[in-house]
Amino acid sequence: MPSRTIQWLGACGIAGCLAWTAQPAQAAIGDNAQQPLVVAFKGGATTLDPIMRSETTTESWQRNIFDTITFQSAQGKAVPRIAVAWKNLSPLSWQLTLRAGVTFQNGTPMTADDVGQSIMDAANNPKSQMREFVNDVTGFTVVNPTTLDVTFKQPDPLFPLHLSSIPVMPEALIKQEGRTAFAAHPIGTGPYRFVSWLAEDHLNMAAWKGYWGKPVAFKFVRLESIPNGATRLAALLSGQIEIAEKINPEDFKRVKSSGRAYITSVSGTRTMYLAMDDWRATGSSGMAAGAKNPFLDPRVRKAVYEAIDVGLLRDKIFDGAATVASQFMPPLMEAYDPALKRFAYSLADAKKLLAEAGYPHGFTVRLDATNDRYLEDSLVAQALGGMLQEVGITVNVNAIPKAVFFPQMNRGDFTLYLAGWGSVDPLSTWNAMFHCRDPKLGFGHVNREHYCNKPADALIAKASGTFDDAARIKLEQQAYALADRQDIAYIPLYYQDEVAGVANGVVWQERPDGLILAWQMQSKPMAGK
Amino acid sequence: MARFLLTRALQALFTLWVVVSLVFLLIHATGDPIAVLAPQQMNAHDRAILRAALGLDQPLTVQYFRYWAGVLHGNLGVSYYSGQPAMRLILERVPVTLELVGLSIGVAVLLGVPFGIWAAVRPDGVADRVLRNLSVLGSSVPTFFLGILLIYVFSVAFNILPASGAGGLQHFIMPAFTLAFFRIALFTRLVRSTLLETLNQNHVRTARAKGVSEPVVILKHALRTALLPLVTVFGLQFGQLFAGAVITETIFALPGMNRMALQALYRLDYPIILAYVLVVAAMFVTINFLVDMAYGLLDPRVRDHG
Amino acid sequence: MGRFSRPPLLPTIILALLILAAVFAPLIAPHDPEQQSLLMRLTPPAWVQGGTWRYPLGTDGLGRDVASNIIYGLRVSLLAGIVSVAISVLLGGIAGLIAGAAADGWFDTVLMRLVDIQLSIPVVLIALAVLALTGRGLGKVILVIGLVGWAQYARLVRASVLAERRKDYVLAARLLGASRRRVIFRHLLPNVLGPLFVQISVDIPRAVELEASLSFLGLGVAVTTPSLGLRIAQGYQYLFSGAWWPSVLPGLALVLLVLCENLIGDWVRDVLDPHYRRRRKSRIPAAPAPTDPAPTERTLP
């Protein structure tokens, strides 16, 4: 390859090369392999093994090739995919009815055993990052070719939703050739088949003729990584690509005024929040040596809450592309309570609370944050520092790479920090983030602040065994109201919006879970062509 | 000769061993890969299982010996993130880096050598002074700033060159020039000073005295002698870029091995970092060896006594 | 022209001004560099439409004053350049002196292996390791750059010492019974200083660039520290929506600083490197250089 291009350099002068780069406009996107529909992501999938990585971009790429057993609708509900119906036979058993006539992309028919084994693989493979969704599964029995019974050690009322993260894999083939070879040339039951790829750079796919579902609108699709937002934008506006995810807020106007593309956005499932040390009286690492930890006082927590103008963050940093969080649970979750409101922004009230708590002149604290993990994370951290300064709290912002941040966060090193949480469901979020810490039972494992409210834990425990949706949701909402309003366990800030720029010839609406799925796209005849 | 080669090989292996061992210790001091790899919501029990599956639950010494045992069997480990062999992932990205570096060194030589000759023909002349100042400018613009400016002008303002990825040759024009910029300056200076030096050597002065025309003196007699240090520097530069073009690959989002190594560093994908360091160190050792060989071939004194 | 040519006028004046600005930053800067005003973010420079003289060079994405950040950024750059090179010189110089004085001893062998090894470990890796172990900060970046640079000085000083050792006056001193330490400090050291200063003058601008590059990659100073490289990285994303000033202006300041340093470095080399001077001024064959400064690049390409 290098020698060829070096010859090329000799053959065509620089001027010739420049002319060559100007490509003709595409007639029909995605109709042939030379002109695929191109979707540009900020990052790229790190693996095509569909259980090895629980991360949005990786899943976006994989889930064109693999079907999940159920599917999460844009409203957050489980809807049929490979499983067409489900019912729970007892608290410890669910029965799935499977779609008939599904085949893998190598021509082998999919069996109920494949589905059952896929669940067990996700639950038991030591490198699986999908374990949490099916941790309570103990086994399965194939009742008939389209019926599967799954058994549990603990009730899981949200199992159908959890199955939306479990891919169907050709288990016999994997056993035969090994996971490494399988991941190098993946085979699933999804709408597209694998053609070629370079990890984290690009993936070429072609429509699979034997797909069980509706034929896709674009036959050839290329997913690629363009890390820089401005570059993605330039590629979109020049017609090199059809979809660019995560458009920078300050560029919305350029997309809208270009006449070639439009912006689609939706409030996402990631809650950005501030966490505060809730257990160390002294010796919290973000305070001066020997200084008392002010965050043990609920008045200080409320003061910090009220001193933050999230609306200003939204308008000035995200240009509107974020949703002010009314509560920790994002709208897509069933526990989201539309009646719950934020504490209003009030510097006067915040100052009053601080004075009551014994900090009339504020205090000094370090605010830790990442600088390479969340959208505009270090910018937000710096802006938060500026806002808290208004009520006399001096903030030293320490924004560091995630590789350094997360180990420290997991050790509970921080006093005050900015982080994000992508909720999977209200129950697992509570047990991880809010539940009183109990390492033996595995509760509160990311509750580094040692927040603890036993009555609220009891509500969630009850909800975990409640299969009646309305009753369960009520219990969940009660628990989260206690944490959000009464205790201020965390300070929810905003839900990141999922934003993409889309060329006019393509119809695509962003999903709250952030997945961009080529098979859900439609084509639109270009007006005035 | 065989004894010399053997000594050199042993020295090289020793250097490789120390470098990789040092890096092994360094990266294990940088943090916990599981903290970055595991999804946030993964609980402690599942994290422990993942840790054990990657062998990270073992004491450092055990991990260290396991690593070398693997290396001796040709197994450099499997990436924590992709599940694919680290060496394969690196090698998949070598062509892009090679193409980038080859093109930029090519451009730098094609421009730098004639510039250098031009400057040397008349020391302190107009051309010399202009080139001298330009070459100082060339070594004063940081790579990342030059890259940004190029993208702004050619991709955003005029939209004639792609700013990202490695498709065709057009993807390499800006990155190669970004890398070449400093090296054009370097080669110009180097050719100039080496030529000036050789122009004063006896055999060149003899040729002049014999009435050989000036272009022939410069091109045939002086440049041939000057070739030796030049080849050395070209070789070293090639090595340095091949194993260091991290900013250029990052800014232009080229899927080269340096950017991959940087990403692996950010998320502590140990097998990839170690494989990368092994490749880089091995390459430096090889280049040093090749430069020595080049000396032997080009310089009769070294050849005769070597 | 006299024995010493005069330093280039314009670069010297500009560099002096930049240094003065950096030293007296608190007096000159119109604003606190970290003070932010989200309401005023991305205000263009005063001479552009929409600009105001309150922010002569405009504001960045957080509403911080660009001019003040450049002035304080120069301070960070100069500090990083000078202190880190001082660390390299100290570490490498001492090691090189000892190794050169005891050539072919075990120390020499070990040192030269170490130099090889050091040069094979990517700078970024060292930076990330130090960062992870100790946290971000200007001091740590300076340490990283200093650590990366020592090998070159060790090499250079060792080679110079080896060259001088063979000369008559050193042999004479040793024959006269001068102690090894005395030979090193009284006889060898002064003769090594010339090439050393040449290398230093080349290295300071490189160290400045390296600090900027590491900070650009997010491996440098804390995000609130006004480093030019970091500000360029932070301003980069706005460049394409038309706000060029938060990245281009700090970039130009950086180029100006490094350019002046390089031009003066050239002059230092002309003055101090007898080998180089002779070569330029006449066509008398020059003696082989004691060492050619290793053409290694300490910035990140």
Side-chain angles (χ1 to χ4, degrees):
Chain A
M1 189 158 129
S3 63
R4 207 183 64 223
T5 37
I6 290 166
Q7 285 168 7
W8 258 104
L9 187 69
C12 74
I14 297 290
C17 295
L18 292 183
W20 176 38
T21 60
Q23 281 165 4
Q26 290 149 351
I29 310 158
D31 259 6
N32 60 62
Q34 278 69 48
Q35 291 192 335
L37 172 95
V38 185
V39 184
F41 294 76
K42 186 166 191 282
T46 53
T47 175
L48 291 180
D49 183 330
I51 56 171
M52 232 184 115
R53 189 95 182 99
S54 166
E55 179 263 331
T56 309
T57 301
T58 300
E59 288 172 24
S60 275
W61 288 29
Q62 291 172 348
R63 287 181 191 178
N64 291 294
I65 298 170
F66 294 96
D67 285 322
T68 47
I69 300 178
T70 65
F71 190 68
Q72 189 179 21
S73 73
Q75 288 72 42
K77 302 273 176 295
V79 294
R81 194 148 178 81
I82 293 299
V84 291
W86 45 84
K87 63 176 184 220
N88 76 299
L89 305 172
S90 75
L92 293 179
S93 150
W94 278 91
Q95 184 169 76
L96 305 178
T97 308
L98 304 177
R99 192 176 294 278
V102 177
T103 8
F104 285 108
Q105 289 145 5
N106 61 357
T108 327
M110 182 202 79
T111 64
D113 193 61
D114 281 319
V115 178
Q117 288 293 352
S118 292
I119 296 177
M120 299 317 291
D121 213 3
N124 295 331
N125 187 307
K127 291 189 186 175
S128 165
Q129 296 199 348
M130 305 301 170
R131 307 165 69 84
E132 56 181 307
F133 301 106
V134 284
N135 247 344
D136 296 329
V137 173
T138 51
F140 69 93
T141 34
V142 176
V143 179
N144 63 49
T146 58
T147 310
L148 190 68
D149 282 358
V150 184
T151 53
F152 294 79
K153 60 181 181 233
Q154 281 179 71
D156 182 2
L158 298 177
F159 185 59
L161 186 65
H162 289 164
L163 284 179
S164 70
S165 294
I166 307 301
V168 178
M169 298 171 281
E171 291 295 334
L173 180 77
I174 295 177
K175 216 164 265 157
Q176 187 192 320
E177 63 175 15
R179 288 208 90 87
T180 306
F182 168 67
H185 193 289
I187 284 171
T189 60
Y192 287 96
R193 65 183 167 78
F194 170 86
V195 175
S196 65
W197 90 310
L198 182 62
E200 294 181 73
D201 190 68
H202 66 264
L203 168 64
N204 294 318
M205 308 183 296
W208 182 53
K209 293 182 185 72
Y211 177 53
W212 57 266
K214 210 173 73 162
V216 292
F218 301 100
K219 289 199 183 67
F220 294 89
V221 174
R222 177 182 168 88
L223 311 177
E224 62 180 42
S225 161
I226 302 184
N228 185 282
T231 314
R232 274 199 305 283
L233 175 77
L236 175 70
L237 296 186
S238 65
Q240 290 163 351
I241 62 172
E242 278 68 42
I243 295 187
E245 74 156 1
K246 297 194 182 9
I247 294 285
N248 290 338
E250 61 271 11
D251 293 326
F252 291 172
K253 280 191 214 93
R254 285 188 63 196
V255 176
K256 286 172 192 156
S257 63
S258 70
R260 306 188 68 147
Y262 60 95
I263 291 279
T264 160
S265 76
V266 69
S267 180
T269 54
R270 173 167 287 133
T271 310
M272 294 301 296
Y273 64 94
L274 267 184
M276 298 155 288
D277 185 339
D278 203 6
W279 58 289
R280 276 171 291 208
T282 55
S284 201
S285 75
M287 306 295 298
K292 207 165 90 197
N293 172 12
F295 296 105
L296 291 179
D297 190 324
R299 288 171 296 195
V300 174
R301 305 153 76 84
K302 195 169 177 209
V304 172
Y305 195 136
E306 292 182 341
I308 296 170
D309 186 355
V310 184
L312 190 65
L313 291 181
R314 176 196 58 201
D315 296 340
K316 288 295 169 179
I317 293 183
F318 297 100
D319 243 4
T323 306
V324 175
S326 60
Q327 52 202 293
F328 196 88
M329 280 285 111
L332 194 67
M333 296 290 120
E334 61 179 20
Y336 176 81
D337 181 357
L340 211 59
K341 292 277 173 287
R342 259 189 100 75
F343 288 115
Y345 166 65
S346 165
L347 287 180
D349 202 41
K351 280 182 190 154
K352 204 178 93 205
L353 284 167
L354 278 177
E356 282 171 22
Y359 298 97
H361 306 295
F363 52 87
T364 301
V365 63
R366 190 184 73 223
L367 168 63
D368 295 281
T370 48
N371 65 359
D372 58 354
R373 176 66 186 87
Y374 308 106
L375 206 58
E376 310 282 26
D377 41 13
S378 82
L379 214 60
V380 170
Q382 290 174 70
L384 289 174
M387 288 173 176
L388 294 181
Q389 197 80 55
E390 299 281 308
V391 292
I393 302 175
T394 304
V395 177
N396 300 316
V397 179
N398 182 40
I400 49 181
K402 59 184 178 222
V404 183
F405 179 89
F406 284 114
Q408 289 184 25
M409 178 177 90
N410 290 342
R411 283 199 302 270
D413 271 1
F414 299 147
T415 302
L416 178 69
Y417 64 90
L418 173 72
W421 178 265
S423 285
V424 173
D425 68 63
L427 298 176
S428 65
T429 293
W430 182 277
N431 289 335
M433 287 280 287
F434 291 87
H435 203 288
C436 300
R437 283 166 64 94
D438 187 343
K440 265 206 198 106
L441 294 175
F443 284 127
H445 68 273
V446 284
N447 178 0
R448 302 156 196 108
E449 295 64 44
H450 295 222
Y451 168 70
C452 186
N453 184 329
K454 291 236 156 70
D457 285 351
L459 290 168
I460 293 293
K462 198 166 164 212
S464 300
T466 306
F467 284 76
D468 176 68
D469 288 352
R472 182 180 65 248
I473 289 171
K474 197 154 172 250
L475 290 165
E476 290 165 352
Q477 287 180 342
Q478 284 171 358
Y480 276 101
L482 287 174
D484 267 353
R485 294 290 298 192
Q486 180 194 303
D487 302 333
I488 313 187
Y490 301 93
I491 300 176
L493 299 173
Y494 52 90
Y495 318 118
Q496 277 183 6
D497 280 6
E498 302 295 341
V499 183
V502 185
N504 286 341
V506 178
V507 182
W508 169 246
Q509 164 63 48
E510 277 288 279
R511 297 167 48 85
D513 57 15
L515 295 177
I516 299 182
L517 302 167
W519 54 273
Q520 286 200 318
M521 293 168 192
Q522 296 301 319
S523 69
K524 184 169 69 178
M526 300 261 249
K529 247 225 140 151
Chain B
M1 192 63 187
R3 198 191 149 90
F4 169 75
L5 280 177
L6 189 70
T7 323
R8 284 298 303 259
L10 284 179
Q11 277 179 359
L13 283 179
F14 176 77
T15 309
L16 277 184
W17 172 68
V18 177
V19 167
V20 175
S21 301
L22 267 180
V23 170
F24 190 92
L25 286 176
L26 265 180
I27 54 174
H28 279 84
T30 52
D32 177 11
I34 301 295
V36 193
L37 171 64
Q40 251 194 73
Q41 59 271 17
M42 188 182 263
N43 65 40
H45 176 251
D46 288 356
R47 274 170 199 253
I49 292 175
L50 182 60
R51 191 182 298 280
L54 300 177
L56 290 167
D57 57 334
Q58 300 293 321
L60 198 58
T61 45
V62 176
Q63 290 187 45
Y64 180 76
F65 285 114
R66 274 191 189 170
Y67 178 74
W68 281 112
V71 171
L72 291 180
H73 289 93
N75 171 15
L76 291 184
V78 167
S79 159
Y80 299 161
Y81 282 77
S82 75
Q84 300 293 307
M87 205 57 191
R88 185 199 295 170
L89 292 170
I90 297 261
L91 290 180
E92 271 176 4
R93 281 160 178 74
V94 164
V96 167
T97 302
L98 218 52
E99 185 163 4
L100 168 69
V101 175
L103 281 172
S104 56
I105 295 280
V107 169
V109 170
L110 282 179
L111 293 176
V113 172
F115 282 170
I117 296 175
W118 192 18
V121 170
R122 211 175 283 257
D124 288 330
V126 179
D128 186 22
R129 268 181 290 167
V130 169
L131 284 170
R132 217 172 130 79
N133 284 320
L134 275 182
S135 79
V136 177
L137 183 68
S139 50
S140 302
V141 181
T143 309
F144 64 92
F145 190 54
L146 181 64
I148 288 175
L149 290 181
L150 287 179
I151 291 180
Y152 184 57
V153 173
F154 292 103
S155 298
V156 178
F158 294 108
N159 192 23
I160 46 176
L161 286 175
S164 189
L169 183 58
Q170 74 269 31
H171 284 92
F172 285 91
I173 294 175
M174 284 198 291
F177 183 73
T178 303
L179 272 187
F181 194 63
F182 166 79
R183 266 141 280 271
I184 296 171
L186 180 77
F187 293 169
T188 304
R189 284 179 147 205
L190 195 77
V191 169
R192 176 192 173 280
S193 63
T194 340
L195 264 186
L196 281 182
E197 199 168 308
T198 52
L199 280 172
N200 288 321
Q201 283 174 2
N202 284 335
H203 70 105
V204 179
R205 289 199 288 173
T206 314
R208 267 207 179 114
K210 280 188 191 158
V212 178
S213 72
E214 194 67 15
V216 175
V217 168
I218 289 179
L219 291 179
K220 201 174 158 202
H221 296 269
L223 197 59
R224 222 182 107 189
T225 324
L227 216 54
L228 181 59
L230 294 183
V231 167
T232 314
V233 175
F234 295 162
L236 287 174
Q237 283 295 315
F238 191 89
Q240 268 173 28
L241 287 190
F242 185 71
V246 59
I247 293 225
T248 307
E249 287 183 1
T250 302
I251 287 190
F252 293 100
L254 289 171
M257 65 169 205
N258 294 294
R259 183 160 79 100
M260 182 193 214
L262 183 71
Q263 284 167 338
L265 258 179
Y266 281 142
R267 58 189 178 212
L268 308 179
D269 197 345
Y270 292 168
I272 292 200
I273 302 170
L274 289 169
Y276 172 77
V277 168
L278 199 63
V279 168
V280 167
M283 189 208 57
F284 270 116
V285 168
T286 315
I287 283 186
N288 283 340
F289 181 73
L290 289 179
V291 167
D292 282 359
M293 299 289 283
Y295 264 89
L297 288 175
L298 288 169
D299 190 332
R301 284 169 300 178
V302 180
R303 189 176 53 212
D304 295 345
H305 297 281
Chain C
M1 242 188 266
R3 185 161 130 64
F4 295 109
S5 60
R6 244 172 288 141
L9 190 62
L10 197 59
T12 312
I13 294 175
I14 296 177
L15 186 63
L17 286 176
L18 292 177
I19 292 175
L20 282 177
V23 171
F24 296 106
L27 300 177
I28 300 169
H31 297 269
D32 174 351
E34 288 170 38
Q35 186 201 333
Q36 38 179 286
S37 157
L38 282 182
L39 292 173
M40 296 298 287
R41 73 196 289 258
L42 298 177
T43 307
W47 65 88
V48 179
Q49 199 194 354
T52 153
W53 281 106
R54 223 181 115 208
Y55 301 107
L57 298 184
T59 62
D60 69 4
L62 276 174
R64 291 174 299 202
D65 180 41
V66 172
S68 307
N69 272 283
I70 289 177
I71 294 170
Y72 275 89
L74 287 171
R75 199 179 226 203
V76 170
S77 292
L78 283 166
L79 205 65
I82 294 167
V83 179
S84 66
V85 171
I87 293 174
S88 302
V89 171
L90 213 66
L91 288 179
I94 292 174
L97 262 185
I98 300 176
D104 307 326
W106 65 269
F107 184 84
D108 189 37
T109 315
V110 170
L111 186 82
M112 285 300 105
R113 285 287 121 218
L114 270 180
V115 167
D116 278 0
I117 289 161
Q118 157 83 68
L119 293 176
S120 315
I121 302 181
V123 180
V124 177
L125 187 68
I126 300 174
L128 193 78
V130 172
L131 177 69
L133 287 174
T134 63
R136 280 160 81 108
L138 180 57
K140 283 120 193 177
V141 182
I142 290 177
L143 191 70
V144 168
I145 302 174
L147 281 179
V148 169
W150 76 275
Q152 276 191 45
Y153 288 95
R155 227 187 217 176
L156 180 123
V157 171
R158 175 180 172 275
S160 303
V161 170
L162 282 182
E164 296 293 332
R165 251 167 72 106
R166 297 197 195 93
K167 291 189 181 160
D168 292 344
Y169 72 96
V170 176
L171 290 175
R174 294 193 82 169
L175 284 177
L176 286 173
S179 72
R180 174 178 281 188
R181 187 174 300 164
R182 190 181 160 82
V183 170
I184 289 180
F185 285 99
R186 290 293 295 272
H187 300 281
L188 292 180
L189 193 60
N191 284 296
V192 175
L193 285 180
L196 200 61
F197 273 114
V198 173
Q199 182 70 33
I200 289 173
S201 71
V202 176
D203 255 6
I204 288 181
R206 283 190 193 160
V208 168
E209 269 192 47
L210 186 55
E211 183 276 321
S213 303
L214 286 175
S215 294
F216 180 82
L217 284 178
L219 298 172
V221 298
V223 282
T224 45
T225 308
S227 150
L228 293 174
L230 186 63
R231 290 295 176 260
I232 296 168
Q234 289 169 340
Y236 178 33
Q237 60 166 307
Y238 305 106
L239 179 62
F240 303 92
S241 9
W244 47 270
W245 53 93
S247 53
V248 172
L249 293 179
L252 290 180
L254 180 64
V255 171
L256 193 65
L257 174 66
V258 174
L259 184 63
C260 291
E261 285 175 342
N262 273 334
L263 287 170
I264 293 172
D266 263 19
W267 167 76
V268 171
R269 173 156 57 175
D270 279 3
V271 172
L272 284 182
D273 191 339
H275 164 68
Y276 198 79
R277 188 170 69 235
R278 236 179 293 149
R279 200 161 56 197
R280 276 197 70 198
K281 297 295 174 215
S282 71
R283 297 206 160 170
I284 300 165
T291 55
D292 270 324
T296 48
E297 193 174 16
R298 276 183 56 202
T299 55
L300 296 173

